[in-house]
Amino acid sequence: MPAIFDPEADILSGDTADVYFIRAQEILRQEDLNPVVTMEVFTSREGLLCGMEEVLALLRRVLPSESHVWALREGDTMTAKEVVLRITGPYGAFGLYETAFLGMLAHQSGWATAARECVHASGGIPIISFGARHVHPRVAAQLEYAALVGGFAGCATPAGARLGDVSPTGTIPHAMILIFGDTVEAIRAFDRHISPQVNRVALVDTFKDEAEESLRVAAALGDRLWGVRLDTPGERGRVTPDLVKEVRARLDQAGYDHVKIVVSGGMDAERIRLFVERGSPVDAFGVGSAVSSAPPIDFTGDIKAIEGKPVAKRGRIPGITENQRLRKIDLSPD
Amino acid sequence: MPAIFDPEADILSGDTADVYFIRAQEILRQEDLNPVVTMEVFTSREGLLCGMEEVLALLRRVLPSESHVWALREGDTMTAKEVVLRITGPYGAFGLYETAFLGMLAHQSGWATAARECVHASGGIPIISFGARHVHPRVAAQLEYAALVGGFAGCATPAGARLGDVSPTGTIPHAMILIFGDTVEAIRAFDRHISPQVNRVALVDTFKDEAEESLRVAAALGDRLWGVRLDTPGERGRVTPDLVKEVRARLDQAGYDHVKIVVSGGMDAERIRLFVERGSPVDAFGVGSAVSSAPPIDFTGDIKAIEGKPVAKRGRIPGITENQRLRKIDLSPD
Amino acid sequence: MPAIFDPEADILSGDTADVYFIRAQEILRQEDLNPVVTMEVFTSREGLLCGMEEVLALLRRVLPSESHVWALREGDTMTAKEVVLRITGPYGAFGLYETAFLGMLAHQSGWATAARECVHASGGIPIISFGARHVHPRVAAQLEYAALVGGFAGCATPAGARLGDVSPTGTIPHAMILIFGDTVEAIRAFDRHISPQVNRVALVDTFKDEAEESLRVAAALGDRLWGVRLDTPGERGRVTPDLVKEVRARLDQAGYDHVKIVVSGGMDAERIRLFVERGSPVDAFGVGSAVSSAPPIDFTGDIKAIEGKPVAKRGRIPGITENQRLRKIDLSPD
Amino acid sequence: MPAIFDPEADILSGDTADVYFIRAQEILRQEDLNPVVTMEVFTSREGLLCGMEEVLALLRRVLPSESHVWALREGDTMTAKEVVLRITGPYGAFGLYETAFLGMLAHQSGWATAARECVHASGGIPIISFGARHVHPRVAAQLEYAALVGGFAGCATPAGARLGDVSPTGTIPHAMILIFGDTVEAIRAFDRHISPQVNRVALVDTFKDEAEESLRVAAALGDRLWGVRLDTPGERGRVTPDLVKEVRARLDQAGYDHVKIVVSGGMDAERIRLFVERGSPVDAFGVGSAVSSAPPIDFTGDIKAIEGKPVAKRGRIPGITENQRLRKIDLSPD
Amino acid sequence: MPAIFDPEADILSGDTADVYFIRAQEILRQEDLNPVVTMEVFTSREGLLCGMEEVLALLRRVLPSESHVWALREGDTMTAKEVVLRITGPYGAFGLYETAFLGMLAHQSGWATAARECVHASGGIPIISFGARHVHPRVAAQLEYAALVGGFAGCATPAGARLGDVSPTGTIPHAMILIFGDTVEAIRAFDRHISPQVNRVALVDTFKDEAEESLRVAAALGDRLWGVRLDTPGERGRVTPDLVKEVRARLDQAGYDHVKIVVSGGMDAERIRLFVERGSPVDAFGVGSAVSSAPPIDFTGDIKAIEGKPVAKRGRIPGITENQRLRKIDLSPD
Amino acid sequence: MPAIFDPEADILSGDTADVYFIRAQEILRQEDLNPVVTMEVFTSREGLLCGMEEVLALLRRVLPSESHVWALREGDTMTAKEVVLRITGPYGAFGLYETAFLGMLAHQSGWATAARECVHASGGIPIISFGARHVHPRVAAQLEYAALVGGFAGCATPAGARLGDVSPTGTIPHAMILIFGDTVEAIRAFDRHISPQVNRVALVDTFKDEAEESLRVAAALGDRLWGVRLDTPGERGRVTPDLVKEVRARLDQAGYDHVKIVVSGGMDAERIRLFVERGSPVDAFGVGSAVSSAPPIDFTGDIKAIEGKPVAKRGRIPGITENQRLRKIDLSPD
């Protein structure tokens, strides 16, 4: 999964760093102290590691060549308290970026771990990330990248899709159907103007009963219709496993076996599991909040050696922590 | 609270938008459809509204002058399902940005609501935001801004402090103390090199017992010491209300009544409440994960009228929702 | 609430009595024992008393004129362990009927108590009994009578309505709509053939979206339409408070303010309370299982005096239990 | 288990039917509509099917000979949502009886299912139905019949016993013992006057300690005593597993090994299980409320085909539901 | 409440002290260290203080006259962490007894606190301590003394009664009734041989039904019978509130209003509250395990000053803790 | 485990007996009744039997030689309701001591059972009893004896150690360290004056950080230091599994592998299990309250035969209870 990350100016300047790291840099410079230290970064709890590629891109920019870095791979599972990153280098070169690299790992590992839980629940049915609208647009791409690292099959934004090296996925927004005033008119317009490479998927809960509308759009587009999406709102009882079964049965009875069914709206691992257990014939799930609402997984960075001598603050064990899973990183530019 | 937000290029380009909004724009343009619509944005649950200033900055950039916008104020409380924003304008001008403005509100309102809960628990004791390390550095400033909107007294990053128009706050990182090899040496160096405007706050749990170290740094800096910070790790039982009482008593008995005590490390609303109920003499709390781990508050945008005619998708009530709390927004540039 | 009950042959014959009462009668007759005894009947738990009219009709048939009976009134509340009936008469005249009169009280008080709980929850919105299909047809009328005693405004079966002195209430079964193939055709046929005294209430969840169908039937019958009934099945998420609000809003916006909304399908006290708390504009509820599934309230009969001398079995207190709420019953035929 | 059911006049007249079925019949007749339809009846939850014999007796009375019926057997287990009955025939012939046949199944399946749960708990120890006093006498026989279908060994009323083709079972009521003034006198009178075919079972908790009284009645009747019944009321701590052990031990030590022990009073599956797990030497249980308080199991009837064409209301799948367990019913008179 | 305590030889010798106190005495003597220290003793949780009289008797034996002691009173309530005892004196005089005086307070305060909870529950109905059989006979007297300090009205052992300056209370053991073979014979023998000062209380659950036996003993002793005791074992469902009501009613109906009812057997605060709430006419409760099973309330002794200078170990605040409730103790011999 | 118990005067005199046993003795003597009876003692719940040696020492003193006693062994497990002791002898010889022997078993079995639970949790790591301070000094030795019977490896008081035939164990009290003013000075004084047979164990949480102090005392005593004890108070977060790991690591890194670590302070079975599961390198646990706060296990004595004839009070089964695990006791003096 090739991913190109490029650290931004305000990260490199320390503008988004905790100010005490900025002051520490200044003091140490004034005191002419710049020892080679070993810092270890460990996770607070088990999960799926994500954000490491972006962290390594940052470290490659700032670390002098004589430094050494060991890390787990993007997408590796991690156990509670496991060391996922070890840096040996002059403190003055990377101390300022502790806030940044902890944050990259924390936010993205939280999302990727939640995504993986949905993937485990779906038993092979593909899942698309629909969560961009629940996070700040500055991290929408990172959210979707993390969902892909967690095993999702696709995502909705071009920026996220680019990070994950896939094509973005989408149907038709309710707004457009409302403007056309009829679902069939809207899907016909989509069919007229959008590249044939893009699947035709009709959203069928805007105006009419979902089963009735599914039959109408299938009749209108015939074989060109790839699928329908059910997104029934909570006010109408959300999508239920039985609704999918019924729509499937009515489509099949009318000869539209080729039309797939996409389900979205408040889907999380528990609800996905319910659909799977009930044998509901879903072809793909759309998942948003279940990933975007996942709390970050906190990481901690500890100095464990200074000029080769084991040290640690109270509460931690001095010296390097053994972890055979760490692999040595090549710090030369990508 | 003056805050200056400027939408970035990848937001304005739609690169972080859900792709179906991009396609909808293209289809409607091809069909020559660009009706004036009214969209309402409502919140999924109660909380503190945050992110509206950034949303309005975006809308001012994209909406034509004949548009109309009504909104709640930054920092307003909102009830479940309340409409917080209403836009009337040509759909082609703003439909593309639905992903972005929902996300701005979602992420920041989630953080601000969590911050407010801590503020309610602390009963007037000031709280500083220490959460930047738990979120992606691209949104670290937004996190800290939201904490300030939620009532925090300060924050740790220069970028966040600038959005909130305050000065950044910080003590000394454990790393620097480890490099100096002694807490007293480290605070003395801080005192030598850092501007006298900045408070001297010693972190006292690195090498020695917190009470012993507090007396040592107080003896070293005398009246120039503003306070000590207790950040005892979980491996050592975290900071307890009784530890603060004991450190306070030992400082007072030694004549250091002027030295304040800052408490950090896993503090959340429940734990802050415990300290307050036990009468623990804390002068300030540092809070990180309790804000950064708050889930976003999901928002939804609905088309409720097209060319003045009430419409709505199934499950929603057509037409404008009355809300006297909305105020008309001046769309002219700030 | 005039109600006419007439004990049936198999009750009078003892065929439905516990056989030990039949044998006891035979033994006592053989032993020439027929003392005047006082029996008290008490309830196992609090609730609404129902069935007493039927019990008194039975006692009037079997007790000799010199007997005495005290009882609470039909529809009275009763506290746990309260004596609701006291009979003084020759044991040989009524001992055989203990099974019958305990059963009449038990089953009907259970139903009436459950009905009352729904009535308390509905805050004045009328409720119709739809539970006949969940009980054996031999007691369908008793169930509906008990629901009326508990405060329901109407019921569905002619037999139940007759006991409660009201007219039966009903809309159109799904089966008939399926046979007509269209809801509008079905309600038009109803309108053609059924007496104008009967309200026209269209069931609107058979073929199409409820809101869409409501507007269609309103357009078809105009002012002659009394109301619509929402009975959305669980497979489609049941009726929700929001669905009622939306149908109300769409009917009103189309000028059909006069059309009422009846809600049914799995309604019980808890769910009724939810609709009321959410301000859902329901005009009437239909309730079935919530009453029919109520467990009977067990009653116990105890001999407390024999020929005026206090007696009791172990565990009970000999002699008459004071209860000022009991009123003396006139045993002369109705 | 031969059982003879005969539908009553008020069921055949539709007097206990939901009035909308009556009106639907009238409308369809006026419109000259009487299609051949297929109706399927399914259960809301798993349980033991009971009432089917009575339903088939009704259908045989009303269906024309060209109709077809498939059904599960009386006493079959059913899974949630399983179709238990399928009728194909002219709607005008049986639509009126939907209320009745659903109610027959609902009430009796609820009772039979609860009875079976007690039977599973008792591990082979026979159980007698004592619940007639907790239901309306019009369905006392149906209750006891259902308990027998659920696996009970006997029941208390002649009417119930006749339906189940067994002899009714009973001991001596407390009332009769109180009239005799002594348990020994009462059981002696029973012994004098009741047919030797009937077991002599003495109720031993009326006046004296149960163990003491058991020894007295055993001494009085000797080998003619079949057993004793313990029915200690809640005011005296109910029957406990240890009480049974003690009475058994004292009877055995006095040479009355032949005397059996029957236990009653608030026995349900959980409590029966407790006695069995504790190894309490019970010879038979008497169970009442545990069966009579069981909620009915709701059934639903759906039209699934009209004149051979699959149909269904929204939420259901059109057409016949496959169920290999259904067997074709011979509709010729019994 | 005069109580005379005399420390025993093995306590004074240190034989029951933790050995490290013995060794500390030896080391300090060898080092010629015997400073005047202030020790404070505080409770781990709230409760009723008991054992202080015994502690003070010990301190009077060992402290030199220039020492100072402050303490709460026997029977005082104490809040969590409250200082209940402060000793200023030469450490060598009392350090050895820390194990002993903490233990005296811990065990007895635990019992007294549990007793008080029962007293609060009983609403004025007197309670007798029956718990001696559940503790080692070496502390049976201390247990009963603590129960009296907690508010009990009497106790069962002469040794305990002497400490509490009351007369011991008792009825007749089951063993004696079994030996006599009849409850009436046993109570008659009691009446013949025991001083008339002692109340005649018959235990009535040994052979026969409690109500029946109560009437028999009342008839046998007439006015000389003070009361009956109900102690029904768990195998017979324990004593219930209703059993007391029934026995009361049957005694009253037979003219024995003067006979009191004592209830025992598994009574604790919760169960006492149940009897009181149900209005059960109990004249006295007997309580055993509810007091004897109470866990000790742990106390801690801390050196807070040495030769007048505040000190404390880590975790505690140096110097004397203010507590206005402490009163100065006269150390001269009683 | 040889243990010598000698009944005390106030037990032999009956002064600590329930007074009704004293009175019963007097009545029976007056009536010239002294039958040979069989009494059985059974436990209320499962646990570890302790106190039997002391009971048998008492019975040997009071029973005439023609008596018979069967008992389980000290330290045997017992199941709920199991008979642990059977005495056949003249009632007048032992009836008076029922309170005493039940109490000996109750208190000590409660403690031993709790101790065994800790032993099961510790997985082979030795445990020392530190609970004497939480019980009355009159039973401190019995508590520690019971802990040893339950599997503890040592105890703190000389009296307890003598009963269990071990040497007492202890470190240094906080009080002595406070008097010396420095932990190193205190352990040096211990080392000077206490027999070399006694292990040197330094308590390291009095003044300084535990890790820092451990290194200081190890440097001071070198190879003569046996171990350190961590007893961090709750105000400082108690001892945690991680603290032990850290102290172990820092000791090892400094070359003090021989120094053992003892952990105390609020340790109970659950907390011991936590340390074991986390792999915390503890060498010994000190346990106090977890044993001393265990409730007594109540025992009951029942007369089951009189002069060879089976009897029992209501609720119990007359005659001897079979128990093959009981062994015949030799009543001749030890």
Side-chain angles (χ1 to χ4, degrees), chain E residues 23, chain F residues 170-171 190 195-201 224 226-227:
Chain E
R23 290 178 186 146
Chain F
T171 58
F190 188 100
S195 152
Q197 262 81 26
V198 175
N199 288 331
R200 273 72 180 130
V201 184
R224 292 199 310 286
W226 186 88

Side-chain angles (χ1 to χ4, degrees), chain A residues 313-330:
Chain A
K313 70 172 198 178
R314 261 169 89 230
R316 303 285 153 69
I317 294 173
I320 284 172
T321 310
E322 274 303 307
N323 185 1
Q324 302 288 352
R325 301 178 65 212
L326 292 171
R327 67 195 173 107
K328 190 77 194 307
I329 301 301
D330 178 1

Side-chain angles (χ1 to χ4, degrees), chain C residues 231-249:
Chain C
D231 187 51
T232 315
E235 292 88 344
R236 290 295 180 94
R238 297 199 294 178
V239 182
T240 65
D242 283 323
L243 173 60
V244 182
K245 287 185 191 173
E246 181 192 344
V247 170
R248 179 76 275 155

Side-chain angles (χ1 to χ4, degrees), chain B residues 138-332:
Chain B
R138 291 177 61 91
V139 290
Q142 277 78 0
L143 168 89
E144 300 216 296
Y145 168 73
L148 293 167
V149 168
F152 275 26
C155 68
T157 67
R162 196 176 317 119
L163 283 183
D165 200 24
V166 298
S167 296
T169 301
T171 58
I172 299 178
H174 286 109
M176 186 179 120
I177 296 173
L178 286 163
I179 289 171
F180 275 96
D182 180 59
T183 300
V184 167
E185 289 312 304
I187 190 71
R188 276 190 175 135
F190 188 102
D191 189 37
R192 272 195 298 277
H193 303 299
I194 298 296
S195 150
Q197 260 82 25
V198 176
N199 288 330
R200 273 72 180 130
V201 183
L203 181 60
V204 292
D205 59 285
T206 309
F207 286 117
K208 288 174 168 288
D209 176 69
E210 296 86 344
E212 186 184 5
E213 196 77 288
S214 294
L215 292 171
R216 290 181 73 232
V217 295
L221 258 67
D223 286 351
R224 292 198 310 286
L225 186 70
W226 186 87
V228 294
R229 177 156 73 96
L230 307 176
D231 188 51
T232 314
E235 291 88 344
R236 289 296 179 91
R238 297 200 291 178
V239 183
T240 65
D242 282 325
L243 173 59
V244 182
K245 288 185 189 173
E246 181 192 344
V247 170
R248 180 77 273 156
R250 293 190 189 260
L251 283 170
D252 290 353
Q253 291 179 1
Y256 303 121
D257 320 44
H258 71 283
V259 176
K260 297 186 190 306
I261 300 176
V262 181
V263 169
S264 61
M267 301 304 300
D268 57 14
E270 185 186 0
R271 210 157 156 73
I272 288 173
R273 202 170 290 119
L274 179 79
F275 276 71
V276 171
E277 283 170 1
R278 297 262 177 97
S280 190
V282 175
D283 295 294
F285 290 105
V287 168
S289 299
V291 171
S292 61
S293 69
I297 292 181
D298 297 348
F299 286 80
T300 302
D302 268 343
I303 300 283
K304 302 301 285 290
I306 297 178
E307 299 290 357
K309 181 162 162 289
V311 299
K313 72 172 194 177
R314 257 170 92 230
R316 303 284 152 68
I317 293 172
I320 282 172
T321 310
E322 273 305 307
N323 185 2
Q324 301 287 354
R325 300 179 66 212
L326 293 172
R327 67 198 171 102
K328 190 79 192 307
I329 301 301
D330 178 1
L331 286 179
S332 55

Side-chain angles (χ1 to χ4, degrees), chain A residues 8 31 138 193 289 298, chain B residues 8 31 138 162 193 289 298:
Chain A
E8 299 177 310
E31 298 277 330
R138 291 177 60 92
H193 303 299
S289 298
D298 297 348
Chain B
E8 300 178 307
E31 298 277 331
R138 291 177 61 91
R162 196 176 317 119
H193 303 299
S289 299
D298 297 348

Side-chain angles (χ1 to χ4, degrees), chain F residues 116-124 127 268-270 272-273 276 285:
Chain F
R116 184 188 51 165
E117 196 190 340
C118 292
V119 168
H120 284 171
S122 83
I127 309 180
D268 56 15
E270 184 187 0
I272 288 172
R273 203 169 290 119
V276 171
F285 290 105

